[in-house]
Amino acid sequence: LKGKRAEMNRSLKALALIFFPAMLLSCDGGIRVDENLSVNPGILEVEAELASYTLSVAADCGWTAEIIAENGADASWLSLSKSKGQGSAQLGLRVFANPYNAQRKAEIRFSSAGGSTASVAVSQKAAEGGEDMSSINMRVGSYNIRMSTLSESDPANAWAERSKRLLTSIKENDFDIFGLQEVSTASQDWLKSNFGDTYDFWFFSPYSQGGSGDRAQGIAFRKSRFSGSDKHFFWASNTPESCTENDTGSQGNFKRGGICGTFTEKATGISFFFMNTHACLNREPNDAYAGVYVDMEKKYNAENLPSFFVGDMNSRPEYAAIATYREWWKDSHETAARRSGASNSYNAYSNVAGKYRIDYIFVRGKVQVDEFCINNTLYDNRYPSDHFPLWADVCITK
């Protein structure tokens, strides 16, 4: 019996040698009963102007820092010199100028692997005479860039040459969010390569059930300014959820539909609905399926947010499809306080005033259109596409 007790004591000592060091590990390696993490100051109230501050972190473990703005708003107005560290440290905090007439708040949250936390509550005063956070101004656009794979009668309009003009054109139009049509697979890669630092892209090819592939349309939006959610795509047919050859007639047989989503400006939290299409080329299905876009807006914009419907709609203002759209949206060409540029959007590489107006920006809800433009700028007397880009400078209010 005495021998068994001795053996048991030896076993308990061995277990202690295993478990007690684990209890004393740093917070990066496991549980630590005496882990410490704090930050000073814990509250920081700052002026509206650009300024820099120092935060003192006292810690005996590793930590990470995260900036969380109030109500999920954009937190980029705060910048830390380090987002992670080991032990105590002095951190630089840069607070950018507040352009708005409302106070901004955020939390800088420090966390350890062991579960300890500390935070700094930052509030920044409103700017006197600053912008109103209950509204946003932005440029909404649409651009049919023409398929890069099409053969052109004029070699100067081949993609290799035309893409150089398109590059300049997209930059100069300075869209905040815009719809794209006739985007080949190669064009998708070209757009991401040249504009990926500025825009996020959503593409939809109506030629596959999954929505990926060639002959696509898309939505491009400034990634620094907006976040996108609730992305959907559909077909302009009696079965909108199914890949369908719905555009049939004397002009050829095609598959057409739309892509849409909800977008939120990070700084203000203001959201809006945006839908883009390259509509049916044949007039009969174009007119017949116009109501599908209205139905999809009602379905996917259930919160009744301010709404935009843009694209190459292959329909002149007097056609039935446009009458259907105007029953739900307003034509920004007609409601704008100012108009500039050309009268028509389709140019056929030959008419600087445009031949037909078949590209549109429709708006709905609390949207004021300050200016509408069909931009007929040429580059070395050449067209970037057989469609002119169009944009509307708008103001959305909550």
Side-chain angles (χ1 to χ4, degrees):
L1 181 61
K2 188 180 290 184
K4 288 184 177 180
R5 285 178 178 172
E7 185 179 346
M8 185 179 295
N9 287 336
R10 284 194 297 271
S11 297
L12 289 172
K13 288 179 181 179
L15 287 170
L17 289 173
I18 294 171
F19 283 109
F20 283 130
M23 294 292 289
L24 297 174
L25 286 173
S26 73
C27 54
D28 290 314
I31 301 169
R32 179 168 185 155
V33 294
D34 61 345
E35 174 184 294
N36 294 299
L37 175 63
S38 62
V39 60
N40 186 56
I43 298 175
L44 196 57
E45 297 178 348
V46 303
E47 299 296 323
E49 292 77 22
L50 172 69
S52 297
Y53 301 88
T54 300
L55 304 180
S56 298
V57 177
D60 56 6
C61 59
W63 48 264
T64 58
E66 181 184 13
I67 301 172
I68 305 168
E70 188 177 56
N71 298 323
D74 180 30
S76 62
W77 55 279
L78 294 174
S79 177
L80 276 174
S81 58
K82 289 177 66 177
S83 61
K84 61 182 178 178
Q86 178 72 38
S88 299
Q90 298 288 106
L91 303 184
L93 173 66
R94 195 175 191 195
V95 183
F96 294 94
N98 186 357
Y100 301 104
N101 62 0
Q103 184 185 52
R104 298 195 287 195
K105 294 183 179 181
E107 176 190 4
I108 305 173
R109 185 180 301 168
F110 293 83
S111 307
S112 73
S116 295
T117 61
S119 64
V120 182
V122 183
S123 60
Q124 185 182 37
K125 292 181 180 179
E128 187 175 345
E131 298 176 32
D132 188 355
M133 287 193 75
S134 65
S135 66
I136 59 173
N137 294 286
M138 64 181 189
R139 177 166 289 183
V140 177
S142 181
Y143 207 162
N144 183 325
I145 63 173
R146 188 167 169 88
M147 290 286 290
S148 65
T149 52
L150 295 175
S151 59
E152 307 287 0
S153 58
D154 184 345
N157 290 330
W159 177 254
E161 294 300 319
R162 192 167 57 81
S163 62
K164 301 171 188 176
R165 304 193 288 272
L166 265 176
L167 182 68
T168 304
S169 177
I170 292 173
K171 287 179 179 179
E172 290 185 351
N173 278 282
D174 198 28
F175 307 107
D176 289 308
I177 183 169
F178 64 112
L180 288 151
Q181 304 88 40
E182 293 199 37
V183 190
S184 66
T185 302
S187 299
Q188 293 173 40
D189 294 337
W190 177 85
L191 286 162
K192 291 175 183 177
S193 175
N194 286 282
F195 296 99
D197 290 341
T198 303
Y199 298 106
D200 268 337
F201 293 93
W202 290 357
F203 292 113
F204 160 55
S205 170
Y207 289 85
S208 73
Q209 182 63 43
S212 62
D214 201 12
R215 292 179 285 179
Q217 55 181 277
I219 299 173
F221 56 98
R222 288 191 184 276
K223 59 170 63 177
S224 63
R225 186 173 182 186
F226 303 108
S227 60
S229 61
D230 297 325
K231 175 185 175 182
H232 301 280
F233 53 81
F234 57 88
W235 285 262
S237 73
N238 293 325
T239 55
E241 308 303 325
S242 300
C243 182
T244 309
E245 190 172 75
N246 51 349
D247 181 12
T248 59
S250 61
Q251 299 294 314
N253 300 329
F254 310 96
K255 298 179 181 181
R256 300 295 169 102
I259 182 171
C260 61
T262 299
F263 298 87
T264 302
E265 191 191 42
K266 298 175 183 179
T268 62
I270 294 176
S271 297
F272 58 92
F273 178 83
F274 190 95
M275 182 160 64
N276 172 66
T277 187
H278 188 192
C280 297
L281 181 60
N282 292 282
R283 184 172 175 183
E284 184 175 349
N286 193 320
D287 291 343
Y289 296 131
V292 173
Y293 295 97
V294 177
D295 292 341
M296 294 299 101
E297 201 272 1
K298 292 177 180 178
K299 178 179 179 178
Y300 294 125
N301 186 20
E303 295 183 31
N304 201 29
L305 298 170
S307 172
F308 298 90
F309 177 35
V310 311
D312 174 2
M313 299 180 188
N314 278 317
S315 192
R316 301 186 199 181
E318 65 271 18
Y319 288 179
I322 302 305
T324 299
Y325 302 144
R326 284 175 173 161
E327 290 176 2
W328 189 247
W329 291 279
K330 295 180 180 179
D331 185 350
S332 60
H333 178 273
E334 306 302 328
T335 62
R338 299 180 303 279
R339 286 206 299 264
S340 58
S343 301
N344 299 303
S345 59
Y346 176 66
N347 60 61
Y349 289 135
S350 62
N351 192 323
V352 75
K355 296 185 70 175
Y356 314 115
R357 186 161 78 92
I358 59 173
D359 303 83
Y360 297 82
I361 298 173
F362 288 103
V363 304
R364 185 174 182 274
K366 295 182 178 180
V367 181
Q368 174 183 310
V369 182
D370 296 321
E371 182 174 358
F372 176 87
C373 176
I374 298 175
N375 191 343
N376 59 346
T377 300
L378 302 184
Y379 300 89
D380 295 327
N381 208 35
R382 292 286 183 176
Y383 298 81
S385 172
D386 61 345
H387 289 244
F388 292 127
L390 54 152
W391 51 256
D393 284 342
V394 305
C395 178
I396 300 176
T397 54
K398 286 185 178 180

